[in-house]
Amino acid sequence: MGKPFKSGYDVIIIGSGVGGLTAGALLSKAGLSVCILEKEPHVGGYLAGFRRKDFRFDTAIHWLNQCGPEGVAGKIFSILGKDHPVAIPQKRIRRYIGNHHDYLLTNNPEELKAAWIKEFPHEKKGIDRFFKAAKKIGAAFNEYSTVFRTEESMGFWERIKNKLPLIRFGSAFIPHLGYSGEEGITKGLNRYFKEKKLHDIFAADGDVIGCMVPIGWAYYGDFQSPPRGGGQVIPEWLSYLVRYYHNDVFTNCQVEKVLVEGNEATGVVFKQRGEEIQLKANHVIAACDVETLYNKMLPASVLSNKLRKQLEEADIYSSSLTISIALDCSPGQLGFSEELIHISSDSATIEEHSGGDPLKSEIVVLTPSLRDQSLAPEGCGTLTVFMPAYMSFKDGWYTTKDEHGNYVRNEDYRRLKNEIAEVLIDRLSKIIAPDLPSHILFYDVATPVTHWRYTGNKQGTMMGAKPGKENMKNKVARYRTPISNLLIGGQWAELGGGVPIAVKAGTNAALLVLQKENKKAFRLLADYMDAKITAEVFESSGVFHAYDNSWKPKPTPAERKKS
């Protein structure tokens, strides 16, 4: 018999991704009673990770950013607990490999700039301007933590004052907006250099801003590797905090309905191991897929047809085919290093780089065990290979659908994903590591169907809705819903994705709850988010409950075996 549910809660949170867990931890620290309901057996969403034999794999981590002391995630984690998992700064960041190039971006981008100027001296002025523009974008992101409070929590004059820092942040991006797609990116890069070999470096990028962002982040040291133990230690720590304050995190709980009385959310109905359970709450935070919320958990009349269509047609990030590989040696012995490798082809279009054909697709390679040896047994290693992918490929990856619209996997599905994995491994062995196939102990393949199954995210998208003119115009991302006391609190509340966006969303959802439930806590957290007070002032106020920093990360499977 597990821990019993309470009769009611101040806040119920649907989903235990980083957004839901951040909201839960902050609200717990503020003294509210919280219950987090997760449909899967483990917390974490895209950071849940998994174990195969004595290897630990992250599900979706390419890199982290905004996790340093001054980043969005770093600032929030620091007020939650001094024992938070610490992301590791990267030195070797990104390797660009193509038919005729192989370049390395480090935490000193001037080295890459010098290499390009040496090879293409006739493009020196344009290369200088390109790196200067990228650095400006990096500077904007470096100040991102000063503009991460949502305007939905602000009064009229606060919103007016907030416009200036938002304008400063956006000014770095405005000159590059609109330069996307095959023709747009060529036109945008031509503003800096016309040399085709330089254009080919970004053959897989969809817009000019995407070409510049990695360089901009590198200028400000904003590339981090996951903490020791992998990305999953972040949700493990956050869920520990929620329970430390005597609140609840329950898994295997599939929420089916948000209870609404009048126009106010009053709780949820969910199933746990076949049993239907109803819980009451003063507030509900949906840190889950937003279309699932509106289409399955709420009455159809809640959302207008116009808003429903805008959500359906929102421009979202791709999903991926992900190969998690266990090696009988270190990846370093095969020619890999700690940096993220992007392999593209100058003969493939942007669309082909993400179209699902493994012979033409971009390949992204990561070596987690080189960054963190605790992820693999002694003498072994891990390799993660990504290929952009969409649910529409091969009619849903040859799956069928049941009467509830769920994807049903079959032998054709399994054969397809393994055939693609073999092609990608073969390409990788020819380009970087000829001996790779002979050192593979086993591998696990995830598709967009897999990502959809474990996260519930529309089409298995990795990061929700993209920043862009149409999504902004249609206000696709928002915290408040047409139902009072029902908030969006996961990545769908914001445009963009990744850990910092999830932390931002969870923090703002918690802030909006506190605005109604605890004015002192609201004001203190708002002032901290606005950089009006320091973490020390926040902690010494006594408004939020103290924490004894008692979390200890669990040993990885490899560490347990070694001991």
Side-chain angles (χ1 to χ4, degrees):
M1 188 76 177
K3 181 180 178 182
F5 296 95
K6 297 174 185 176
S7 58
Y9 296 87
D10 293 318
V11 187
I12 289 175
I13 299 172
I14 307 170
S16 72
V18 170
L21 288 169
T22 299
L26 281 166
L27 293 169
S28 296
K29 192 174 180 68
L32 276 66
S33 62
V34 174
C35 177
I36 299 178
L37 300 173
E38 168 57 48
K39 72 181 186 69
E40 291 300 310
H42 305 285
V43 301
Y46 269 121
L47 263 64
F50 65 96
R51 171 187 179 174
R52 290 288 183 273
K53 299 184 179 180
D54 293 314
F55 293 81
R56 174 178 282 186
F57 295 97
D58 275 328
T59 321
I61 290 278
H62 292 198
W63 68 84
L64 293 171
N65 72 304
Q66 292 286 319
C67 288
E70 297 304 315
V72 166
K75 285 186 69 173
I76 296 303
F77 288 174
S78 69
I79 60 170
L80 285 172
K82 294 291 188 290
D83 57 351
H84 68 83
V86 178
I88 304 163
Q90 291 183 24
K91 294 180 180 179
R92 295 171 63 94
I93 292 168
R94 188 167 182 164
R95 186 176 169 189
Y96 301 86
I97 297 179
N99 302 70
H100 307 290
H101 66 260
D102 189 344
Y103 299 109
L104 178 66
L105 173 65
T106 69
N107 60 350
N108 180 10
E110 293 294 310
E111 295 174 343
L112 179 60
K113 184 175 83 170
W116 287 2
I117 290 172
K118 183 178 179 180
E119 188 171 348
F120 309 104
H122 57 290
E123 296 281 16
K124 181 181 184 306
K125 287 185 179 179
I127 293 170
D128 277 329
R129 288 192 298 108
F130 182 81
F131 276 76
K132 185 177 180 180
K135 189 174 184 178
K136 187 175 180 181
I137 287 174
F141 276 111
N142 199 46
E143 298 296 319
Y144 187 58
S145 64
T146 64
V147 294
F148 80 109
R149 181 180 161 205
T150 177
E151 287 194 348
E152 293 180 53
S153 69
M154 298 179 184
F156 175 78
W157 291 113
E158 283 183 310
R159 289 196 296 272
I160 295 297
K161 290 179 182 178
N162 192 53
K163 297 301 180 189
L164 183 58
L166 283 174
I167 290 169
R168 282 201 303 265
F169 177 75
S171 65
F173 304 89
I174 291 172
H176 317 292
L177 293 175
Y179 294 107
S180 61
E182 207 73 49
E183 292 183 9
I185 197 167
T186 299
K187 186 177 179 181
L189 291 176
N190 275 338
R191 297 169 65 217
Y192 298 98
F193 34 72
K194 293 184 170 59
E195 173 63 56
K196 184 180 184 302
K197 288 183 179 179
L198 283 170
H199 282 228
D200 288 345
I201 297 167
F202 306 107
D205 285 277
D207 55 63
V208 170
I209 291 176
C211 303
M212 292 180 168
V213 165
I215 296 171
W217 284 349
Y219 268 113
Y220 289 87
D222 199 17
F223 274 91
Q224 299 101 33
S225 298
R228 182 173 177 80
Q232 56 201 271
V233 301
I234 297 173
E236 286 175 3
W237 172 69
L238 288 168
S239 60
Y240 177 86
L241 287 176
V242 174
R243 291 176 172 126
Y244 174 86
Y245 293 107
H246 306 292
N247 281 324
D248 297 327
V249 180
F250 292 106
T251 56
N252 296 301
C253 295
Q254 178 73 58
V255 176
E256 297 188 331
K257 183 179 180 181
V258 175
L259 296 171
V260 179
E261 294 180 13
N263 195 49
E264 185 173 310
T266 59
V268 300
V269 175
F270 63 96
K271 281 188 177 178
Q272 186 185 49
R273 298 182 179 89
E275 180 186 359
E276 186 173 282
I277 301 171
Q278 178 175 308
L279 285 182
K280 290 288 189 175
N282 298 326
H283 300 267
V284 176
I285 296 176
C288 59
D289 180 69
V290 69
E291 284 193 22
T292 300
L293 171 69
Y294 286 121
N295 294 341
K296 294 185 177 181
M297 299 180 188
L298 290 167
S301 59
V302 164
L303 204 63
S304 69
N305 290 334
K306 180 181 177 181
L307 288 176
R308 194 178 300 279
K309 186 176 180 182
Q310 287 172 345
L311 280 177
E312 289 173 355
E313 296 177 352
D315 185 18
I316 63 175
Y317 286 97
S318 75
S319 186
S320 78
L321 179 133
T322 305
I323 316 170
S324 300
I325 302 174
L327 300 169
D328 66 4
C329 66
S330 166
Q333 293 174 236
L334 301 176
F336 297 97
S337 190
E338 71 164 356
E339 69 274 0
L340 191 71
I341 301 172
H342 282 253
I343 300 172
S344 61
S345 171
D346 58 22
S347 62
T349 65
I350 290 173
E351 187 174 311
E352 287 172 333
H353 274 107
S354 61
D357 183 344
L359 291 171
K360 297 180 179 180
S361 177
E362 176 187 25
I363 305 176
V364 181
V365 187
L366 188 64
T367 53
S369 64
L370 270 182
R371 302 172 176 185
D372 180 2
Q373 185 54 55
S374 76
L375 302 177
E378 191 170 353
C380 296
T382 61
L383 200 65
T384 307
V385 181
F386 297 88
M387 180 187 84
Y390 291 90
M391 189 71 88
S392 58
F393 180 69
K394 299 290 184 183
D395 294 323
W397 295 77
Y398 291 151
T399 59
T400 57
K401 285 190 176 181
D402 64 18
E403 66 274 17
H404 303 293
N406 298 317
Y407 294 89
V408 179
R409 295 159 294 153
N410 50 42
E411 279 305 312
D412 288 339
Y413 165 80
R414 283 182 274 275
R415 183 170 57 253
L416 175 63
K417 72 173 186 175
N418 287 320
E419 285 174 354
I420 291 176
E422 289 293 331
V423 172
L424 293 176
I425 291 169
D426 181 63
R427 278 183 64 191
L428 193 54
S429 65
K430 289 175 180 176
I431 295 169
I432 297 178
D435 295 332
L436 173 60
S438 64
H439 288 281
I440 295 176
L441 295 171
F442 63 87
Y443 63 77
D444 184 275
V445 187
T447 70
V449 178
T450 315
H451 298 308
W452 168 82
R453 284 175 54 225
Y454 286 106
T455 68
N457 268 350
K458 175 182 179 178
Q459 297 177 20
T461 178
M462 300 292 279
M463 295 192 296
K466 290 182 178 180
K469 184 178 178 182
E470 285 303 308
N471 281 346
M472 291 178 182
K473 177 184 173 184
N474 293 332
K475 296 183 179 178
V476 166
R478 62 179 78 191
Y479 289 89
R480 298 191 189 278
T481 71
I483 302 297
S484 178
N485 293 347
L486 172 62
L487 299 168
I488 308 296
Q491 64 181 11
W492 296 100
E494 293 282 344
L495 300 178
V499 169
I501 293 298
V503 171
K504 176 183 179 181
T507 301
N508 278 300
L511 185 69
L512 289 166
V513 171
L514 293 175
Q515 194 170 27
K516 286 190 174 183
E517 296 293 333
N518 188 329
K519 298 292 185 184
K520 284 186 178 180
F522 164 77
R523 191 68 264 160
L524 191 71
L525 181 56
D527 286 347
Y528 180 70
M529 294 170 74
D530 292 341
K532 292 179 179 178
I533 61 172
T534 64
E536 289 72 26
V537 171
F538 180 95
E539 291 164 1
S540 64
S541 69
V543 173
F544 284 78
H545 294 190
Y547 168 57
D548 64 1
N549 302 299
S550 55
W551 176 73
K552 301 292 182 186
K554 299 173 184 175
T556 66
E559 288 174 326
R560 285 198 295 272
K561 183 177 181 180
K562 191 175 181 180
S563 62

